Amino acid sequence: MAQQKQTQEQDINQLLKVRREKLKELQENGKDPFVITKYDVTHHSQEIKDNYEELEGKEVSVAGRMMSKRVMGKASFCNVQDLQGGIQCYVARDNVGEESYKDFKKMDIGDILGVKGTVFKTKTGEISIHVTNLTLLSKSLQILPEKFHGLTNTDLRYRQRYVDLIMNPEVKDTFIKRSKIISAIRKYLDSQGFMEVETPMLVANAGGASARPFETHFNALNEDLKLRISLELYLKRLIVGGLERVYEIGRVFRNEGLDTRHNPEFTLMELYQAYTDYNGMMDLTENLYHHVAQEVLGTTKIVYNGIEMDLGKPFERITMVDAVKKYSGVDWNQVETLEQARELAKEHHIEFEERHKKGDILNLFFEEFVEEHLVQPTFVMDHPVEISPLTKKKPENPEYVERFEFFMNGWEMANAYSELNDPIDQRERFQAQEEQFAQGDEEANHTDEDFLNALEIGMPPTGGIGFGIDRMCMLLTDSAAIRDVLLFPTMKSQGASKNEANNAAQAGKAAAAEVKAEEKAAEKIDFSNVKIEPLFEEMVDFDTFSKSDFRAVKVKDCVAVPKSKKLLQFTLDDGTGTDRTILSGIHEYYEPEELIGKTCIAIVNLPPRKMMGIDSCGMLISAVHEVDGQEGLNLLMVDDRIPAGAKLY
């Protein structure tokens, strides 16, 4: 096996060397592709196929990457891939000339070509280009993934999105759709009289949402600043200033975990409309989703993960209290005191903190019992005041506010308010948030004196809403994870040593292996302050031990469990063909993304155990120790060459 791997590495190194030699030869012969600055493209591949009758026999120019090549004596075929797809090109020596044909035979898969020729159909009926002129526009010095297997490694796909876009046409389609979705949103809002604006990303007070901000330092002013977590407070200032309908689509930053629905930087759209309320925001949301789906997909019926959702029908509207009653059986209208709320939480095994008030506990019930059921488009209305510091109270019941969250597929897709415009009430809400912060809530808002001053100037009755654009793109493109709709998602740094090895790999994998070996040899780990648990003195017979089924498992996916600071949810390949779910309390030690693709060890014959409402079917094996009074943990990971399902003896 080791010898085979070494041979493969040598072969790859030789191929990389040959490509550089070809480039050197081209440069020495005055054919350096990198001196070319432009190429006149008249058509794209799909455009030619769609308009064949009109273009048959006519001259076209296309440009793109050569993805395949078949050399057959005096005539050859290649496939050139551009933005719209691929098109076959017929390259004959008699048409391009002997020298040009000789150059073509030396070209490699991955090279970028300019192709001029006439449109025709082959005997098999494939629309193609009969090439008359061929230009090498850029020489590829790396090797693309082998076509049959493609680029399947999830981690590598996200890190090298440029290769992902080349090898996986569906990925390119996703991001083209994402662009169209954002364009359709702008088109709709512009038609409704909204004005697009831009507000600061660097702020002294990151407010408008419950989230922990990223912090930075501005040297010129010697001041600490934060990256914004929301767009809200500045947009409302513009409503005060008389701009009656405003929106912004922009990046916001939240210092929180990574999972299938969360990235620390993401695209948020917020809009505010004077002289309307949250009912007006519901109508706008329905119309916006209807318009975008119709515009981008050509239908209002979408399918996500095999489930059909209809954006064409009126969306369901239900209060949070009614939703909790419907799915948990608890009628919150009967809950009068904090003590009653706490007792109910204990009865229903809902964890709460000392600082939580009655409204907070209602929200915990909602998260536990309701969210997963909200698959079809649903507006959940009238939240408790404790979790809504920027929202108008309901006049008839001030314990609740005029707020809704829009849900699809069990996900929160949007959050909207009848905006609080009473500066005295707003100051009290900020003070309550400051108290929450003092009690340990790192996500609580801080008092924004300038915003309070704006409210004192006077803000009209206003409706406002925030949309998570990335989740919207996930639903409309049937993408499983948020990283699938972000061109460059946040990834854990590979570290200086790994980067060094990667750089070495550019010159050859053998060199990379040498770097890795040197690093391993140089690495010294100090175990002098490590404590381990004492060994068990009680003996266990062999038959009892043998009943535990230890298996190698491959991590297909790993996400943080919502509402839990410790738990990670693993989707595992255990060799049976059926995915296995195991929950493990190791989030303190690992981020989910760094575990995807790893091979671990699990006990697979433990009875299912419910954790946070999820069945955990087994246990992943970790090594635990103590360092300076703190628990240390290492998840047991083994060689990736071990197949899923391999049993440990």
Side-chain angles (χ1 to χ4, degrees):
M1 180 69 78
Q3 190 175 356
Q4 186 184 357
K5 192 175 178 183
Q6 190 179 2
T7 305
Q8 286 174 344
E9 287 178 352
Q10 287 172 347
D11 290 344
I12 291 169
N13 288 335
Q14 185 58 32
L15 290 170
L16 294 173
K17 186 182 174 187
V18 167
R19 291 198 175 204
R20 279 165 171 75
E21 288 172 351
K22 286 180 181 179
L23 174 62
K24 189 179 177 186
E25 186 183 337
L26 286 166
Q27 290 169 331
E28 288 171 349
N29 293 329
K31 297 178 180 178
D32 186 354
F34 296 122
V35 303
I36 297 171
T37 57
K38 59 174 288 191
Y39 188 82
D40 291 328
V41 175
T42 63
H43 295 79
H44 283 88
S45 55
Q46 194 59 45
E47 188 183 355
I48 294 170
K49 293 173 182 177
D50 291 343
N51 299 283
Y52 174 72
E53 286 76 15
E54 185 188 327
L55 293 171
E56 185 184 9
K58 293 183 179 175
E59 187 176 82
V60 295
S61 288
V62 300
R65 191 179 300 275
M66 183 163 67
M67 298 301 291
S68 65
K69 178 175 127 176
R70 286 183 290 138
V71 176
M72 303 178 299
K74 297 177 183 180
S76 302
F77 287 95
C78 68
N79 188 279
V80 173
Q81 177 179 289
D82 61 15
L83 175 68
Q84 296 182 354
I87 191 161
Q88 181 173 266
C89 300
Y90 174 67
V91 187
R93 188 182 68 182
D94 294 345
N95 292 101
V96 299
E98 192 164 337
E99 188 176 347
S100 186
Y101 190 68
K102 197 182 293 181
D103 289 343
F104 169 74
K105 289 200 291 184
K106 291 181 180 178
M107 292 177 189
D108 294 303
I109 304 302
D111 288 351
I112 295 175
L113 312 181
V115 176
K116 187 181 284 185
T118 54
V119 178
F120 79 111
K121 263 186 190 176
T122 62
K123 289 177 182 177
T124 58
E126 186 170 353
I127 296 169
S128 308
I129 298 173
H130 196 136
V131 181
T132 55
N133 186 272
L134 199 65
T135 308
L136 179 63
L137 301 175
S138 182
K139 182 70 188 164
S140 174
L141 300 179
Q142 269 292 353
I143 301 166
L144 291 175
E146 194 267 311
K147 188 178 177 185
F148 178 74
H149 295 102
L151 184 63
T152 55
N153 181 293
T154 307
D155 187 76
L156 193 61
R157 284 180 51 221
Y158 296 143
R159 291 187 190 279
Q160 297 185 11
R161 182 67 84 187
Y162 42 91
V163 182
D164 192 24
L165 290 165
I166 294 167
M167 300 307 300
N168 297 315
E170 69 280 4
V171 173
K172 188 185 287 183
D173 183 59
T174 292
F175 288 105
I176 290 170
K177 278 184 181 158
R178 179 185 172 108
S179 178
K180 289 178 177 176
I181 288 165
I182 293 172
S183 180
I185 291 169
R186 284 195 166 100
K187 184 178 174 184
Y188 177 76
L189 292 178
D190 292 347
S191 74
Q192 299 301 305
F194 283 87
M195 182 171 101
E196 186 172 9
V197 297
E198 293 170 316
T199 61
M201 290 192 183
L202 284 171
V203 295
N205 187 346
S210 297
R212 190 167 60 186
F214 288 94
E215 297 180 358
T216 187
H217 185 78
F218 184 23
N219 291 334
L221 295 179
N222 193 27
E223 283 186 4
D224 290 332
L225 293 172
K226 299 177 178 67
L227 291 174
R228 65 185 182 187
I229 60 172
S230 168
L231 312 173
E232 180 167 347
L233 299 185
Y234 280 97
L235 291 175
K236 284 183 179 177
R237 285 168 167 91
L238 299 179
I239 296 290
V240 171
L243 303 180
E244 293 181 0
R245 299 189 183 200
V246 293
Y247 76 96
E248 182 174 8
I249 300 173
R251 287 282 190 169
V252 297
F253 309 86
R254 298 181 182 179
N255 199 349
E256 55 191 21
L258 293 159
D259 61 33
T260 54
R261 283 183 284 160
H262 293 90
N263 195 70
E265 55 173 315
F266 61 98
T267 304
L268 183 64
M269 183 188 75
E270 290 197 32
L271 64 86
Y272 293 85
Q273 180 180 341
Y275 311 113
T276 190
D277 62 1
Y278 74 145
N279 292 298
M281 293 296 102
M282 283 187 240
D283 295 339
L284 184 145
T285 302
E286 280 191 14
N287 293 333
L288 175 65
Y289 264 80
H290 182 102
H291 171 84
V292 171
Q294 194 66 52
E295 187 89 355
V296 176
L297 306 176
T299 176
T300 57
K301 289 183 179 177
I302 66 166
V303 177
Y304 185 82
N305 198 25
I307 298 169
E308 186 177 279
M309 301 169 214
D310 193 348
L311 296 166
K313 296 191 294 191
F315 299 171
E316 184 184 356
R317 304 185 181 195
I318 188 171
T319 67
M320 183 177 280
V321 169
D322 286 345
V324 166
K325 185 178 178 180
K326 181 177 178 180
Y327 294 106
S328 76
V330 175
D331 186 354
W332 215 258
N333 290 319
Q334 306 301 314
V335 181
E336 295 178 359
T337 66
L338 175 58
E339 278 311 309
Q340 285 177 305
R342 287 174 171 174
E343 284 304 313
L344 281 166
K346 290 172 185 174
E347 284 174 26
H348 290 80
H349 310 291
I350 289 177
E351 293 181 22
F352 62 89
E353 297 175 27
E354 191 62 32
R355 61 182 174 83
H356 283 148
K357 296 183 172 62
K358 190 174 85 166
D360 296 299
I361 296 172
L362 168 61
N363 189 52
L364 292 174
F365 266 82
F366 173 78
E367 290 175 345
E368 182 68 28
F369 292 106
V370 181
E371 283 189 1
E372 62 182 301
H373 299 287
L374 305 178
V375 175
Q376 296 300 322
T378 304
F379 294 117
V380 176
M381 309 178 294
D382 302 351
H383 293 50
V385 67
E386 292 92 339
I387 62 167
S388 312
L390 299 163
T391 318
K392 273 193 174 182
K393 294 174 184 173
K394 292 185 71 67
E396 68 277 15
N397 189 353
E399 287 189 7
Y400 297 91
V401 297
E402 293 195 347
R403 172 186 175 187
F404 73 79
E405 289 176 295
F406 173 51
F407 282 86
M408 285 180 68
N409 193 50
W411 304 346
E412 181 208 332
M413 304 297 295
N415 187 18
Y417 308 152
S418 296
E419 303 295 336
L420 180 61
N421 62 346
D422 178 347
I424 298 167
D425 190 355
Q426 182 64 79
R427 182 175 291 280
E428 290 171 0
R429 305 272 194 103
F430 274 141
Q431 285 170 352
Q433 287 285 298
E434 294 282 9
E435 287 170 16
Q436 293 275 49
F437 184 80
Q439 292 173 28
D441 185 356
E442 294 179 337
E443 297 183 347
N445 281 226
H446 293 283
T447 304
D448 188 328
E449 289 292 347
D450 183 73
F451 176 64
L452 287 170
N453 184 63
L455 289 189
E456 287 176 0
I457 297 289
M459 186 174 85
T462 298
I465 188 167
F467 291 89
I469 297 295
D470 305 311
R471 290 186 189 178
M472 187 181 193
C473 291
M474 286 172 67
L475 278 180
L476 295 181
T477 61
D478 197 11
S479 298
I482 192 169
R483 286 176 289 186
D484 295 328
V485 297
L486 298 174
L487 280 165
F488 301 101
T490 303
M491 304 289 288
K492 187 177 176 69
S493 172
Q494 293 183 304
S497 63
K498 288 187 180 179
N499 286 335
E500 193 178 330
N502 287 340
N503 291 336
Q506 301 299 318
K509 292 202 174 179
E514 286 176 16
V515 170
K516 194 172 180 181
E518 287 171 11
E519 286 169 359
K520 196 169 181 179
E523 188 180 16
K524 290 184 179 177
I525 304 171
D526 181 15
F527 290 125
S528 61
N529 60 345
V530 168
K531 281 175 80 177
I532 62 168
E533 291 183 30
L535 299 182
F536 288 160
E537 293 182 4
E538 184 185 348
M539 295 293 176
V540 60
D541 66 86
F542 188 78
D543 287 341
T544 302
F545 166 74
S546 299
K547 289 176 183 176
S548 296
D549 193 358
F550 290 83
R551 300 278 177 162
V553 291
K554 305 279 184 183
V555 182
K556 295 176 68 174
D557 196 16
C558 182
V559 300
V561 176
K563 306 182 288 285
S564 173
K565 293 179 180 178
K566 295 181 180 178
L567 289 173
L568 294 179
Q569 179 177 333
F570 291 81
T571 303
L572 302 167
D573 176 6
D574 61 6
T576 63
T578 303
D579 288 349
R580 176 180 294 272
T581 298
I582 292 181
L583 274 65
S584 183
I586 61 173
H587 198 176
E588 184 183 345
Y589 305 96
Y590 296 95
E591 287 300 328
E593 57 146 6
E594 64 185 299
L595 298 174
I596 295 171
K598 302 295 186 188
T599 305
C600 304
I601 302 298
I603 303 178
V604 297
N605 63 336
L606 293 172
R609 186 160 65 114
K610 254 199 178 357
M611 302 168 74
M612 302 294 288
I614 303 165
D615 280 339
S616 180
C617 302
M619 184 171 75
L620 288 163
I621 305 301
S622 296
V624 181
H625 61 278
E626 188 181 299
V627 184
D628 297 331
Q630 298 292 316
E631 186 178 68
L633 178 145
N634 287 282
L635 181 65
L636 192 59
M637 290 180 265
V638 297
D639 196 309
D640 289 336
R641 287 176 294 184
I642 300 173
K647 183 171 170 59
L648 271 68
Y649 287 95

